[in-house]
Amino acid sequence: MIRIAPLALAVGAAMAAVFPVTALAQVDVEKIVQDARQADLEGRPAFGGLSEVGDLRRDWSVNTFYVVYRGAPPEQTVFWAVRRETGTRMARTATVWADSRSCPGVRTMLLAMEQLPAVRPDAIRLGEEASAEIQLHGSRVTFWNRWARSGPENAAVDVEIVGNVNSPAARWWAESSPGLADCWTPNPPA
């Protein structure tokens, strides 16, 4: 039988009242990613995006891409916007926007996205086998796109690619996103 002295209980209770122990709440990044995919801009959903989640430090970013139409044809104008939400495992740190009207990097980034290589499905140990370099890095990169095109007839398909820092989508983002660095603003396109 373990006995705790009444004085120790009293001191412990007093300390708990002065220094309450609270559990550190962690950000649910997967929910943020799903919410971002569903969020619209002026009534239109995002057509694509890329999220990065660091498994070691747990820094993350969720980037969604939009096309915005203003006015009616034939005078209608079209531009593109990027919404970026960032944070750590403990907190969201920022939500910012970039707009192709004031940031040429948005258009450049999206044109480069259209050049991403096609994905080849693989039946393990059957057909064409390629040795793959396994990169052990603490990041998960998820690229997705609605209305992607596939095959000689350009069939509309949805695509999602989950990879690591050595995936083509991760390299594209690493090369393209610095072109947006000076463009971020806290306000959505006006």
Side-chain angles (χ1 to χ4, degrees):
M1 179 169 168
I2 298 175
R3 298 189 72 173
I4 300 175
L7 180 59
L9 287 173
V11 169
M15 287 184 70
V18 175
F19 303 106
V21 177
T22 57
L24 296 174
Q26 292 197 8
V27 172
D28 184 351
V29 179
E30 295 307 317
K31 179 162 179 13
I32 292 169
V33 169
Q34 290 306 315
D35 290 349
R37 285 186 176 205
Q38 301 306 316
D40 68 69
L41 177 61
E42 298 181 6
R44 293 189 178 271
F47 65 82
L50 181 131
S51 60
E52 305 170 287
V53 179
D55 288 334
L56 299 176
R57 291 182 35 211
R58 300 297 293 170
D59 292 346
W60 54 268
S61 72
V62 177
N63 307 277
T64 45
F65 314 137
Y66 298 88
V67 62
V68 182
Y69 299 93
R70 297 278 169 84
E75 294 84 27
Q76 187 175 59
T77 60
V78 178
F79 65 94
W80 297 267
V82 179
R83 180 181 184 269
R84 178 175 177 84
E85 202 168 343
T86 58
T88 67
R89 69 176 176 202
M90 303 312 271
R92 291 181 189 202
T93 56
T95 300
V96 291
W97 295 82
D99 170 340
S100 66
R101 295 172 299 175
S102 58
C103 180
V106 171
R107 190 171 189 278
T108 301
M109 178 267 299
L110 293 171
L111 286 170
M113 177 193 75
E114 289 189 337
Q115 301 307 310
L116 284 170
V119 175
R120 180 181 59 82
D122 186 29
I124 298 171
R125 301 196 45 104
L126 181 65
E128 184 179 335
E129 292 298 315
S131 62
E133 175 185 331
I134 296 177
Q135 182 126 6
L136 299 176
H137 187 278
S139 293
R140 184 182 73 234
V141 176
T142 304
F143 168 78
W144 62 276
N145 186 249
R146 294 182 178 116
W147 310 298
R149 300 295 173 194
S150 180
E153 294 163 7
N154 286 318
V157 298
D158 288 357
V159 66
E160 179 172 309
I161 302 168
V162 180
N164 209 321
V165 294
N166 65 339
S167 71
R171 283 195 297 269
W172 154 73
W173 185 249
E175 293 167 4
S176 296
S177 62
L180 308 177
D182 295 332
C183 302
W184 300 119
T185 175
N187 304 316

